[in-house]
Amino acid sequence: MMNSDYAIQVKGIGKRYRIGAAQERSDTLRDLIVSQVGKARGIFQPRRSAARSDHNHIWALRDVSFDVKKGQALGIIGRNGAGKSTLLKVLSRVTDPTEGVGELRGRVGSLLEVGTGFHPELTGRENIYLNGAILGMRKKEIDARYDEIVAFSEVDQFIDTPVKRYSSGMYLRLAFAVAAHLEPEILVVDEVLAVGDADFQRKCLGKMSDVAQQGRTVLFVSHNMSAIQRLTEESIVLDKGKVLLRAPSAEAVDFYLNRGLSKLGERFWEHDEIPVTAAPFRPLAIRLLDKNNTVSDSVRSVDPITIEIEYQLEAEITGLRVGYYLNTSRGEAVFTSFDTDPHDLFNEYTSRPAGVYLSRCTIPANTLNEGRFSIGINASAYRIKRYFQDDQALSFSVDASGAPGTQWPEPRPGAVRPALDWRIDRKGPHERV
Amino acid sequence: MATVDSQTANQTVVLKPAKGWLGVDLKELWYYRELVYFLTWRDIKVRYKQAALGIAWVILQPLITALVSTFVFSRGLKIDSGSLPYPLFVLSAYLPWHLFANSLTKSSSSLVGNANLITKVYFPRIIIPLASVLSSLLDFFISLVILLIAMVIYKAPITLTALWIIPFSVLAMIIALAVGLWFSALNVQYRDVQQILPFISQIWLYITPVLYPINIGSNPIFKAIYNLNPMVGVVQGFRWALFGGTQPDATIWISGAAILLLFISGIYFFRRMEKTFADVV
């Protein structure tokens, strides 16, 4: 079955869970006895028990097939609950598939979280060895990379201190450092970059792209769409446990942002997509509205369009500004705007008490050229704190029909297409300028 | 720069639904031997951290046990330990018993205690109960030194027969692992195991000749049933190896068969349940 050009081949992988099996931490013998008695009774009530067993299971993955060439980096994107984590768990052999087969050629290193098995009572040095061994490194490999790991983590002064005394930043740096020096042929990474501060995230991303460039096979799950686009050439989009699309990452991201979500032109943030550091700011939704105030992902250049950001403040924030970046699909910045840019609003909203807010911005008609655009949102207090940022909150397309110049069916370069005033004066029949 | 072992570089991992009964992949277990070492080392290292007396507990526990049981059973209940001083009598049985009970307790709760590993990383799951059984060895060795000192104090001769304690200790660990495999796997699904375990340990202690000598009459049927408890053979054998006396007779084979049955069934049960650990724990 295996073609040696491929590092990963899976066919028809499915994973079925008993509903609640993952959460129910306190299965007890009593439950078992009760359910056995229930089953015995079921003999006399066959209809009811059959109906029950049907609803007791859920397919977290169904009929998932794909392959990854050696040295390729593949992104996996999808909403929460789409099956991404389950897929990674199956691929890293944490759990077995219910159906289907797969082959992975090469040593698999899976990073479903950083710092797996770190023990708070042990020192940094001891945890490097313990964590390395858990991740599948041999002692001599850890010995060989020990200095690099310590240097990368920047905790060398505290290396003989129990990690329970570390700050959360130091802890994460050390944990990531060990993981980053694991050198398997196939690396399976889940969202580990969603932790830590911006600097640390940049460092991690840098290390990840090194890994991808070293010709190792990488499977990368993330909600960070720009990271997906930077690190992977191709991505698969998962939804409800099925592969919806496999495409070059830019296309897949676009598809996901528009179709993979609940509605076109609208994006909601689930609770677990919001980093804890965002509190007390909580993004709820961003929407794109056309001239009829209908949510849409495709608008016309000749109509005004409205961008609506809905969010909740769990506590009062002073100096908050909520706004967005508008970029072309190629990543060129078009403009940036915040809701307190206008002077009157700036003076009125020096501080916002807790509550649910809606910040709306209208982009006048005849602003954007045809093409695809993406919106990133940002909520921050200038020079104090960045509460929340999502560089790929939404994307949409603009249709230029009817706009000035469309009498010639030629593409016009540029991100904007303003309706500018032109005057043509005739200075007389033969007059020379 | 370290390179990946050639043995692992070409390894192919096959994913497929788990079906039927599986044995233990010894080759894979050997590949993960360092992880066994590191987990054992972690368990030992962490156990007495944050305890004011630290590692001293390892010495205090057998001493206190010997002292208390000497007062209660020898002075109080007048249990006759024969020619053997009661402290030696009880320590010699306490050693293999404690190795067993400790290993059993730790291995039974080991999977649940390491749930964070099970849900995030792959390795042969059997390593977890195995490492917790091995980590009890440190206490055992220290207790052994105490016993030897006690033997010198009581002027008990130390003979070559004493080397027999090695196989009997290994046997105690195998029994603990066998039962631990059952209990740890059951505990993943049914936390009741953790509640029942102290009672099982206690009852098991009473049906093992740790605190009292083995003179249970000559009824062969009763003797055979009594010997179904594999710890009877271990404790009796341990005492015999150190001090002579009642040599283990043919009934030890009953213990042996019981151990073998427990161990093999434990492995198979564990391997069968293993597939669902990450989903259920």
Side-chain angles (χ1 to χ4, degrees):
Chain A
M1 153 192 179
M2 190 77 185
N3 179 330
S4 63
D5 287 346
Y6 291 99
I8 304 173
Q9 282 185 309
V10 296
K11 278 199 176 62
I13 291 278
K15 175 76 190 179
R16 192 179 59 185
Y17 282 108
R18 195 156 57 87
I19 290 176
Q23 293 89 0
E24 246 173 71
R25 294 192 60 85
S26 54
D27 262 327
T28 60
L29 277 174
R30 214 189 85 214
D31 294 343
L32 177 77
I33 293 160
V34 169
S35 77
Q36 292 303 319
V37 171
K39 261 186 217 161
R41 276 216 208 112
I43 297 166
F44 307 103
Q45 302 159 309
R47 245 187 74 233
R48 192 169 140 239
S49 75
R52 255 178 73 199
S53 67
D54 248 20
H55 293 286
N56 272 347
H57 294 94
I58 182 171
W59 287 91
L61 283 179
R62 197 82 206 251
D63 199 25
V64 170
S65 304
F66 64 90
D67 39 45
V68 188
K69 284 210 175 82
K70 281 190 174 156
Q72 193 186 11
L74 183 75
I76 299 172
I77 48 190
R79 271 185 293 177
N80 290 308
K84 303 181 303 271
S85 302
T86 308
L87 179 58
L88 290 197
K89 279 187 179 175
V90 169
L91 289 174
S92 49
R93 288 206 287 166
V94 166
T95 183
D96 277 4
T98 312
E99 57 177 33
V101 287
E103 277 191 32
L104 288 93
R105 178 163 287 192
R107 188 162 78 147
V108 183
S110 63
L111 291 179
L112 302 193
E113 71 178 0
V114 291
T116 303
F118 259 46
H119 198 288
E121 297 284 355
L122 298 178
T123 67
R125 182 194 304 275
E126 291 165 342
N127 269 308
I128 289 177
Y129 280 92
L130 178 63
N131 186 227
I134 287 168
L135 292 176
M137 276 193 255
R138 318 306 298 268
K139 185 169 176 296
K140 61 173 196 258
E141 290 177 76
I142 307 172
D143 286 336
R145 288 171 207 156
Y146 179 80
D147 292 335
E148 277 177 75
I149 293 173
V150 174
F152 188 89
S153 69
E154 300 166 15
V155 296
D156 36 345
Q157 289 157 273
F158 305 101
I159 204 69
D160 290 313
T161 308
V163 299
K164 67 177 176 184
R165 308 213 190 287
Y166 281 26
S167 71
S168 60
M170 286 160 64
Y171 184 94
L172 281 174
R173 281 207 302 277
L174 184 66
F176 188 84
V178 183
H181 290 83
L182 173 72
E183 298 193 340
E185 286 94 55
I186 301 172
L187 186 61
V188 176
V189 190
D190 187 9
E191 206 74 73
V192 287
L193 307 171
V195 293
D197 56 20
D199 264 357
F200 181 64
Q201 288 192 17
R202 245 193 304 282
K203 194 169 172 180
C204 296
L205 273 174
K207 186 75 194 175
M208 289 290 308
S209 72
D210 289 352
V211 169
Q213 274 154 23
Q214 281 162 11
R216 270 176 275 157
T217 312
V218 181
L219 268 190
F220 182 52
V221 163
S222 181
H223 279 118
N224 182 339
M225 293 299 143
S226 55
I228 287 268
Q229 279 173 294
R230 251 182 71 192
L231 295 178
T232 65
E233 309 98 64
E234 270 196 286
S235 292
I236 58 177
V237 180
L238 276 185
D239 192 48
K240 295 183 186 125
K242 296 200 166 97
V243 176
L244 284 189
L245 174 79
R246 174 173 182 157
S249 293
E251 205 180 302
V253 165
D254 208 52
F255 176 88
Y256 163 72
L257 289 176
N258 290 288
R259 220 142 301 177
L261 292 155
S262 49
K263 223 172 171 185
L264 307 177
E266 188 169 31
R267 157 94 202 256
F268 297 100
W269 281 277
E270 308 278 339
H271 227 293
D272 52 354
E273 291 177 80
I274 306 165
V276 265
T277 51
F281 181 89
R282 192 156 115 66
L284 297 172
I286 179 168
R287 295 177 198 96
L288 187 77
L289 307 171
D290 64 12
K291 66 164 183 201
N292 303 319
N293 270 334
T294 310
V295 176
S296 171
D297 79 323
S298 103
V299 290
R300 297 186 59 187
S301 177
V302 294
D303 293 330
I305 50 181
T306 301
I307 289 162
E308 206 174 73
I309 306 169
E310 195 180 343
Y311 51 95
Q312 184 180 5
L313 303 187
E314 278 147 2
E316 179 167 356
I317 300 180
T318 303
L320 179 69
R321 52 182 198 174
V322 178
Y324 63 92
Y325 320 109
L326 189 75
N327 292 316
T328 67
S329 58
R330 276 172 294 171
E332 303 143 337
V334 182
F335 64 79
T336 300
S337 187
F338 286 100
D339 59 357
T340 46
D341 284 355
H343 292 285
D344 53 335
L345 291 176
F346 176 76
N347 291 327
E348 191 181 337
Y349 288 95
T350 48
S351 179
R352 287 180 222 194
V356 175
Y357 290 82
L358 197 63
S359 290
R360 306 177 101 229
C361 168
T362 302
I363 302 172
N366 295 311
T367 305
L368 300 175
N369 197 359
E370 64 190 332
R372 287 201 69 80
F373 294 87
S374 69
I375 295 172
I377 86 155
N378 176 298
S380 53
Y382 179 63
R383 283 200 166 165
I384 296 172
K385 186 180 158 133
R386 190 183 67 196
Y387 291 96
F388 180 75
Q389 178 160 343
D390 186 335
D391 291 335
Q392 294 278 349
L394 200 63
S395 76
F396 62 97
S397 62
V398 174
D399 177 65
S401 50
T406 45
Q407 54 273 46
W408 297 285
E410 59 183 359
R412 290 281 173 96
V416 294
R417 191 168 194 143
L420 301 173
D421 272 338
W422 279 98
R423 273 179 60 172
I424 305 173
D425 291 332
R426 188 178 185 217
K427 296 259 181 153
H430 298 295
E431 215 168 305
R432 289 168 59 197
V433 181
Chain B
M1 199 63 222
T3 51
V4 176
D5 289 9
S6 56
Q7 167 209 343
T8 64
N10 300 319
Q11 82 182 21
T12 299
V13 174
V14 177
L15 308 170
K16 58 172 194 279
K19 292 234 169 69
W21 301 91
L22 297 160
V24 170
D25 186 345
L26 287 175
K27 212 175 124 196
E28 193 185 32
L29 208 57
W30 177 245
Y31 176 76
Y32 279 97
R33 63 194 181 277
E34 285 186 353
L35 184 57
V36 177
Y37 164 76
F38 275 112
L39 288 178
T40 307
W41 166 83
R42 176 198 66 177
D43 284 354
I44 290 174
K45 191 110 193 170
V46 162
R47 191 172 322 145
Y48 298 104
K49 288 246 172 145
Q50 202 83 350
L53 294 180
I55 202 83
W57 278 113
V58 181
I59 302 167
L60 286 175
Q61 280 167 351
L63 279 182
I64 293 170
T65 310
L67 228 69
V68 169
S69 33
T70 302
F71 272 101
V72 173
F73 293 97
S74 179
R75 301 276 157 84
L77 294 173
K78 308 276 183 214
I79 283 180
D80 181 19
S81 57
S83 56
L84 202 57
Y86 191 81
L88 283 190
F89 172 84
V90 79
L91 261 181
S92 62
Y94 169 86
L95 248 66
W97 171 258
H98 201 240
L99 176 64
F100 163 77
N102 242 350
S103 304
L104 177 61
T105 309
K106 281 197 212 100
S107 59
S108 297
S109 59
S110 62
L111 287 175
V112 171
N114 287 288
N116 60 330
L117 295 188
I118 292 172
T119 54
K120 298 294 180 192
V121 188
Y122 172 80
F123 52 83
R125 302 313 188 199
I126 207 163
I127 284 178
I128 291 182
L130 184 63
S132 46
V133 167
L134 290 176
S135 73
S136 307
L137 270 176
L138 176 76
D139 296 42
F140 176 73
F141 285 134
I142 293 176
S143 308
L144 191 61
V145 171
I146 292 172
L147 175 63
L148 291 177
I149 292 170
M151 284 172 75
V152 171
I153 292 171
Y154 282 99
K155 300 198 169 64
I158 300 171
T159 62
L160 266 183
T161 328
L163 286 177
W164 273 100
I165 63 171
I166 297 169
F168 283 117
S169 311
V170 172
L171 219 51
M173 286 164 70
I174 291 176
I175 302 166
L177 183 62
V179 183
L181 286 173
W182 275 97
F183 282 1
S184 60
L186 276 172
N187 197 23
V188 168
Q189 185 102 37
Y190 309 108
R191 297 295 142 87
D192 309 61
V193 172
Q194 239 151 295
Q195 310 301 324
I196 300 170
L197 195 66
F199 301 109
I200 293 181
S201 271
Q202 204 164 6
I203 293 166
W204 204 323
L205 173 66
Y206 294 149
I207 60 168
T208 308
V210 175
L211 302 167
Y212 56 87
I214 181 165
N215 43 10
I216 46 164
S218 52
N219 184 339
I221 295 169
F222 182 71
K223 217 172 158 187
I225 293 172
Y226 191 73
N227 274 289
L228 269 179
N229 169 10
M231 282 308 288
V232 170
V234 169
V235 166
Q236 202 199 342
F238 212 89
R239 222 172 243 156
W240 161 78
L242 290 172
F243 307 115
T246 327
Q247 196 172 349
D249 56 17
T251 49
I252 194 155
W253 293 109
I254 300 173
S255 293
I259 293 167
L260 203 66
L261 187 71
L262 261 178
F263 191 53
I264 292 173
S265 65
I267 287 176
Y268 277 92
F269 179 70
F270 187 91
R271 291 283 289 164
R272 189 167 177 79
M273 298 301 284
E274 182 180 79
K275 304 297 167 186
T276 58
F277 287 163
D279 303 336
V280 178
V281 74

